[in-house]
Amino acid sequence: MSATETSTHLRENPLSLARVQLARVGETFGVDSNLIGVLKSCKKSVEVSIPVLMDNGSVRVFDGYRVIHNVTRGPAKGGIRYHPNVTHEEVKALAMGMTWKCALMSLPFGGAKGGVICDPKELSAGELERLTRRYTTEIINEIGPEKDIPAPDVGTSAQVMAWIFDTYSMNVGHSVLGVVTGKPLALGGSVGRDGATARGVLYCIRTALQKEGRRFPDTRVAIQGFGTVGRNLARLLAEEGARIVALSDSGGAVVNSYGIDVAAAIVHKAEHGVLRGLPGTEEATNDDLLESDCDVLVLAALEQAVNADNAGRIRAHMVCEAANGPTTPGGDEILEDRGILVLPDALAGAGGVVVSYFEWVQGLQEYFWKEYEVNAKLNDIVVRAFEETWSTRERFGTSMRMAAYGLAVQRVAEATTTRGLYP
Ligand code: NAD
């Protein structure tokens, strides 16, 4: 994964937005305001400083966070982000989002997130390893297979997860496969984890198209973001016969209304680090991509890409949120008023955490599944959550987002009430 942006992508405070969203869900679904008050806050938040010996002999100190939002339904689960624009409030908002995502998928997990303010692209492999091992050591009392299980997010990779696994295991004196997911296959990773988020997106778009009587071969797709999620999704969609008309990364967009050769785009990006200059395409800006003429727009980059300023110009009839929080509430309202179907992050972006759950289960059992089993079980869970969200949307006459969050918040609220308030 990559992290490249230097100016922040956050236009509004993500935690405030998450809380506004939660309050709206509470009102729409009649959830007890005391419970909404509890769920507005994160259960635990750790802020650490991470001194790292740099290759030039100096010591640089990085700031990091690990936030657990809720553990009512099971141990906390959530990725670790390495990015220069990470903020504590962003990590809290992302942790809350993980609680809803896990609940919507009916996984026995709560929500968490971690982040370190750094640009992994500027660090050598040795610096990245030392940073990761020290960060893990600083949060070692918080994480564990029964407590909080990290995973990759923007700027972190399977290799980073391997260092976390090793650091934790060395400290407790034996290998603990269940401490982290998104590990390399050689260290108890799950087959299908790398492409899992993209696969979950694919299943959601397919089910949504079926509801409209459409199929992939009639569908033109634009994808913002060409990292782990965007790249894998472009490949899967092309295999299904969809026409990929625009792609982008932080360096800009490439477009071809007749269809982009995705395999060539993957090779070009691997060789040049950017999509720009891909033969057979025209260059465009990231804004152009969002507003391009397509049927489905997939947001697979960072937060707040679609907002009140640009939502009025989006031409897709379906917006699919593979990323976390890529649409602000202001942007969302405009999309809804315009009748654009939005597949929300809690639903569309959940494939990764579902297969992380499978990896955790396999690690605890030390028994590993075949790829077709992983993909079939992923399809079952994502399509079931899609159908539950769709029928809730119809029953309450609301948006897919409100229906997804409504289902999730109600599940967490029910678990909280049933457990009772301790002491
Ligand atoms: P990544 O770091 O691999 O890729 C991010 C991509 O977005 C890069 O190609 C980057 O160049 C691009 N990008 C950044 N800013 C952009 C902009 N303004 N316009 C266009 N492209 C831009 O990250 P990823 O793992 O693919 O994650 C992408 C999103 O999906 C994040 O929001 C992440 O939280 C979310 N997500 C990831 C997973 C997972 O399993 N990796 C799971 C769930 C959600």
Side-chain angles (χ1 to χ4, degrees), residues 33-360:
S33 59
N34 286 313
L35 274 176
I36 295 294
V38 172
L39 296 174
K40 260 169 66 179
S41 297
C42 293
K43 172 187 164 60
K44 197 175 203 179
S45 171
V46 180
E47 184 173 352
V48 297
S49 83
I50 309 159
V52 176
L53 179 65
M54 306 302 281
D55 290 347
N56 65 8
S58 67
V59 174
R60 212 172 130 191
V61 182
F62 296 86
D63 291 323
Y65 311 98
R66 186 69 191 173
V67 175
I68 295 176
H69 172 253
N70 190 280
V71 291
T72 308
R73 302 180 71 259
K77 188 88 192 75
I80 291 174
R81 179 171 293 196
Y82 287 177
H83 193 279
N85 302 138
V86 162
T87 68
H88 200 171
E89 305 240 299
E90 179 192 31
V91 177
K92 287 182 180 175
L94 290 167
M96 191 189 289
M98 285 306 296
T99 302
W100 312 141
K101 202 176 258 190
C102 293
L104 183 63
M105 294 296 128
S106 298
L107 306 181
F109 287 141
K113 204 80 180 187
V116 177
I117 306 172
C118 67
D119 187 347
K121 280 193 165 176
E122 285 180 354
L123 300 174
S124 70
E127 290 166 343
L128 199 60
E129 177 174 354
R130 291 192 288 279
L131 179 144
T132 300
R133 289 187 182 279
R134 182 62 186 253
Y135 170 62
T136 307
T137 307
E138 295 296 342
I139 61 167
I140 206 151
N141 292 327
E142 316 311 323
I143 61 173
E146 289 94 22
K147 288 160 88 175
D148 174 16
I149 307 133
D153 190 68
V154 174
T156 53
S157 59
Q159 176 60 72
V160 171
M161 298 306 115
W163 290 324
I164 296 174
F165 159 76
D166 185 65
T167 305
Y168 185 89
S169 298
M170 292 306 287
N171 272 272
V172 298
H174 58 94
S175 291
V176 183
L177 288 181
V179 68
V180 71
T181 59
K183 299 184 293 297
L185 284 180
L187 288 178
S190 175
V191 287
R193 174 61 184 84
D194 194 38
T197 304
R199 206 166 267 284
V201 177
L202 180 85
Y203 297 153
C204 280
I205 298 176
R206 174 190 284 152
T207 314
L209 288 175
Q210 281 166 354
K211 299 274 180 205
E212 298 174 341
R214 299 175 64 133
R215 297 160 55 249
F216 280 123
D218 319 321
T219 306
R220 296 163 307 149
V221 186
I223 304 175
Q224 184 202 37
F226 204 64
T228 308
V229 181
R231 185 183 64 243
N232 279 306
L233 179 65
R235 181 178 52 78
L236 291 171
L237 284 168
E239 282 168 15
E240 295 286 338
R243 199 185 332 156
I244 311 298
V245 293
L247 293 170
S248 72
D249 59 19
S250 54
V254 291
V255 297
N256 181 343
S257 57
Y258 295 103
I260 295 172
D261 180 345
V262 173
I266 292 171
V267 172
H268 183 88
K269 171 87 178 168
E271 280 174 2
H272 303 275
V274 287
L275 285 165
R276 220 180 24 235
L278 175 67
T281 62
E282 285 170 27
E283 285 179 21
T285 65
N286 282 321
D287 289 343
D288 293 336
L289 176 129
L290 295 172
E291 298 163 20
S292 62
D293 186 14
C294 61
D295 301 304
V296 179
L297 169 65
V298 181
L299 304 172
L302 295 171
E303 297 100 312
Q304 305 183 10
V306 173
N307 46 62
D309 292 342
N310 61 11
R313 294 192 297 275
I314 284 180
R315 288 197 271 170
H317 77 268
M318 188 191 299
V319 172
C320 181
E321 297 185 340
N324 291 305
T327 310
T328 65
D332 204 29
E333 229 168 84
I334 295 170
L335 296 181
E336 207 184 325
D337 286 350
R338 295 182 55 216
I340 296 172
L341 179 69
V342 178
L343 305 181
D345 50 3
L347 176 65
V353 74
V354 172
V355 177
S356 271
Y357 165 58
F358 297 161
E359 181 178 334
W360 179 73

